[in-house]
Every structure is written in C-alpha cells, then in structure tokens.
Amino acid sequence: MGEIPHLKALVQRHESAGFSVLGVNTDSDLAKAKARCAESGIGWANLYDGKTKEICNAWGVSGFPTAFLIDRQGVIRKTFLGIDPKELDAAVEALMNEK
Amino acid sequence: MKILMVLMLSASVVPLAAQDPAPPAPTVQPATLMRPTALRPAGGAAVEDKADATEAQLLLRALSRAQRELFARSDAARKKGEPFNEIEADPTPRYRPLFRALADQGDVDALLWCTAHTTPVRPERAGEADDHQATRAAFRKDLAALLDKAQGRHLAAAARTALGHAGETISHEEADRFCEAAIAKDSSSAGGILSSMAGRAMDEPGDAARAKATALYERALGVESDPAAKQRITGRLFALNHLREGMKAPELSGTDFDGKSVKLADYQGRVTFLEFWGFW
C-alpha cells in the first residue's frame, strides 16, 4: 500500500494520454477497504477479491503487491513482485512513448 | 548470561554439557536474527500444551521464550531511544551445542533445528576454510539422518531446508536427490515436496528452469489430494505458462466494491497497470 501515492502521481501524469491503474483488492473487509480507498483518493477501479481470493488463486499470486504492466495491445510487458518506483516510472514512460 | 541460566533451570532440562562434553559448536553464526515465527517446532503443534514434550521440544520452548524476551527488551530500548544490539544479545549460540547433542542422538526436531540454523556456505572449491568443510559435512550427515528418521511434515520441512541450500552448502542435484528420496519414502508429503522443488526451480532464470518447474508442478497435481493445495498449484502453473512478459494478458473479470462488473478487456487501447494489493 506504500505505493499508492506513487500510482496516483503516475495516473495524474499519464491518464489523459491513455494510462490506467486497475487494482485487485485483497482486504478481507470490503466496506473498510472501500472507505479507505475513498479516503486515500484512489480514483481507479478495483476488482474486489478479498473474500474468496479466487482471482489471486487463479493467477497464482501469493506475494503482494504483484503487478503486471500491460501495453495498449493487451500484452504483458513487465511483471512486478514488489514495486520499485524508478523501474515503474521508466517502464510506464517507455510504453507511453510507444505508438 | 544470567537470564539464560534462569530459563535453563525453569525448563527442567539437564544441560547435556554437564553429562557428556558437547561436540564443538560450528563457528558459523546466523547473520540475522529471525523473529519468533521462525522458531515453531517443525510439527507446528503448540508445544506449550504437550505434557510429554521431548527434551528437544523443551529446548525449543525455552529458546523461543528467551528470544521473545530479547525482542521485548529491544522494543523497549528502541522506544526509549536507547541502543540495543539484538545480534549480540541473541541466546541462540548458547543453544546450538545442546541441539547439536540431541541431533547426534537422532532427535528429529533437533536435526531439523540444526539444519534450519545452518548458514548457507558457498560452493566447494579447493583450499576452502576448514569450518566450511565441517559445516557442509555436518549438514549432509543431518540430512541423511532426517531421511532415515523423519516422516510426514518433518520430512517435508527437511526437504524445504535442503532446497534452501541448493547451489550453496549442497549442490542442486544433491537437493533434488534428497527430495526424490523423501518422496519415495513417504508419498503423503509428495505434493508439498514437489511444489517446493518447483518453487526452487523458478528461482533460476530461463526456459529450462521453467520447463523443470512446470513438470514438477504437474507431478504435484497428480499426487496431491488436498483441494486447496491443488488450487494453489494450478494457479502457479497458470502464472508460469500464461503470465509472462511478451504474452497476451488473459481475460480477467470480477466485481468492484459496489458489485459492479469490471473487466480487464475494457482497458484495451490503454497502458494498464494491473496490481494485486491490499491495505493490510
């Protein structure tokens, strides 16, 4: 969750050029998670997976955060286990500059 | 020093050093201190409740208490802004010879403790330091004893420890041989051991490693009976084969906090950062 401010900055910077964040939230209490997202100013959509962990199990996700950077054609270009802000910035930058 | 002696007395364990001279403790020391979650006995059972605890289990309990107390002192010192050296205050070194002696008598908990508390040593080469050779020899001997005496969850724990040292204290081949021997001995742990082997294989890069991991996960699926474990393995196989860089992201859909449908496909045409996360 420490990456939230960084993601917000990325969205602010690149959203108009076609960048989005899509979260898969794994908190066990849906109401609390929804409230905290609002408090944290998270404007992007979140799939809720906290109850059954169905999505996490299906995608073999066991470490958090796990993330996938996907290009405009829907191809996975980079996988993350833990997020290095500099790496993420550079990767997003590169993809935004692609045709 | 004083604290240790009080604990030793209350644990009603006769220090073995008083009866037989303990073999020399290895000179390698753990580089970092592991917090209590790492100290649970291999069986996972609450040792506190067992009336007929073995000597090794009593030792584990005493060491666990000593370390909890150390962490409490460390936290208190930090709150006061006082310095506290956790490594220096660690009671583990004083327990090593005691676990070593019990391991030499074939106690499985003690054998597991000794192997789990071996600092990995780098690969063998000519002219290597004596204590590395001794560490390596002791580790191999303990693994052999575990293969002989351990079963079920203990055997699976031994396999995980062996895999943790693969490519260092022991070779990858030795670790794999140990795991295969463990599976042959006790098929009930096969699923877990095969999954651990697959996980270890994935620590290495490249296609060969991935092929090895896939084959191991598939073997695990074939022998695993627990549905939750099967689900986890299936998920890892999916990730291995479909969630790699350069591959088209699979379909993903679900509902948001309000129950509204959300699909990854809706994001086609946008650069998307898909993140699995939580506030917890």
Side-chain angles (χ1 to χ4, degrees):
Chain A
M1 64 155 280
E3 72 280 7
I4 292 171
H6 197 83
L7 294 180
K8 284 167 72 179
L10 275 172
V11 166
Q12 191 163 44
R13 183 141 177 235
H14 296 291
E15 187 168 39
S16 55
F19 174 75
S20 292
V21 174
L22 174 60
V24 179
N25 175 269
T26 60
D27 287 295
S28 50
D29 188 321
L30 186 156
K32 281 204 185 114
K34 181 180 170 184
R36 285 190 76 177
C37 277
E39 277 162 25
S40 314
I42 289 174
W44 54 83
N46 272 280
L47 285 151
Y48 182 63
D49 194 38
K51 185 153 178 236
T52 60
K53 306 281 196 313
E54 225 174 271
I55 306 175
C56 290
N57 287 338
W59 279 44
V61 173
S62 54
F64 299 89
T66 289
F68 304 86
L69 187 58
I70 302 165
D71 70 16
R72 298 179 198 270
Q73 287 71 40
V75 174
I76 298 170
R77 300 294 294 274
K78 198 162 169 64
T79 59
F80 297 81
L81 179 58
I83 297 164
D84 181 291
K86 287 205 196 89
E87 246 185 84
L88 177 56
D89 281 351
V92 172
E93 209 60 49
L95 287 190
M96 296 311 297
N97 289 335
E98 274 182 6
K99 284 280 191 59
Chain B
M1 271 316 217
K2 204 169 156 190
I3 293 161
L4 170 67
M5 285 183 61
V6 167
L7 282 175
M8 289 305 291
L9 287 168
S10 68
S12 65
V13 170
V14 177
L16 292 166
Q19 298 173 322
D20 301 295
T27 54
V28 288
Q29 300 286 339
T32 54
L33 207 54
M34 290 190 292
R35 288 233 159 193
T37 49
L39 293 174
R40 293 175 63 80
V47 165
E48 320 293 331
D49 300 336
K50 275 182 93 170
D52 56 347
T54 64
E55 229 172 326
Q57 286 165 346
L58 287 171
L59 262 186
L60 283 167
R61 196 202 297 183
L63 175 54
S64 181
R65 269 203 307 264
Q67 289 206 312
R68 276 199 299 275
E69 194 193 282
L70 182 159
F71 293 133
R73 280 161 52 212
S74 173
D75 289 345
R78 201 178 343 113
K79 285 201 177 94
K80 292 194 217 144
E82 284 164 12
F84 188 95
N85 190 331
E86 279 187 4
I87 306 282
E88 248 173 45
D90 180 16
T92 306
R94 292 183 286 260
Y95 281 72
R96 270 186 191 277
L98 303 170
F99 280 114
R100 182 70 262 158
L102 290 172
D104 288 345
Q105 290 171 23
D107 182 280
V108 169
D109 286 316
L111 282 162
L112 282 170
W113 191 95
C114 289
T115 51
H117 288 77
T118 299
T119 303
V121 296
R122 62 189 190 285
E124 280 165 350
R125 45 177 197 251
E128 140 176 89
D130 284 344
D131 59 354
H132 283 159
Q133 284 179 8
T135 301
R136 213 188 297 283
F139 189 78
R140 286 183 170 130
K141 187 163 168 242
D142 287 345
L143 281 184
L146 281 164
L147 193 53
D148 182 38
K149 297 179 157 60
Q151 46 202 9
R153 275 173 310 187
H154 293 85
L155 197 49
R160 284 193 299 276
T161 300
L163 289 167
H165 285 255
E168 291 184 280
T169 317
I170 56 175
S171 69
H172 287 282
E173 292 73 29
E174 273 180 275
D176 286 347
R177 274 202 304 274
F178 180 89
C179 291
E180 295 289 0
I183 290 166
K185 176 182 176 179
D186 184 349
S187 58
S188 73
S189 339
I193 295 175
L194 286 163
S195 291
S196 299
M197 290 170 78
R200 181 66 187 85
M202 278 314 294
D203 287 341
E204 310 299 314
D207 291 338
R210 207 161 30 235
K212 182 179 175 187
T214 301
L216 286 162
Y217 278 131
E218 281 169 359
R219 273 177 70 193
L221 266 182
V223 300
E224 183 59 70
S225 49
D226 173 43
K230 281 178 107 98
Q231 203 184 34
R232 274 193 305 272
I233 296 167
T234 304
R236 289 206 190 102
L237 267 172
F238 184 76
L240 214 53
N241 295 314
H242 298 284
L243 300 179
R244 300 204 315 263
E245 292 174 13
M247 297 181 140
K248 192 113 202 304
E251 277 172 31
L252 180 58
S253 62
T255 52
D256 66 9
F257 295 123
D258 299 318
K260 221 173 72 214
S261 164
V262 179
K263 293 200 297 285
L264 180 58
D266 295 340
Y267 290 75
Q268 190 82 8
R270 295 181 74 79
V271 172
T272 309
F273 186 67
L274 173 68
E275 187 201 21
F276 291 73
W277 71 289
F279 282 111
W280 50 269

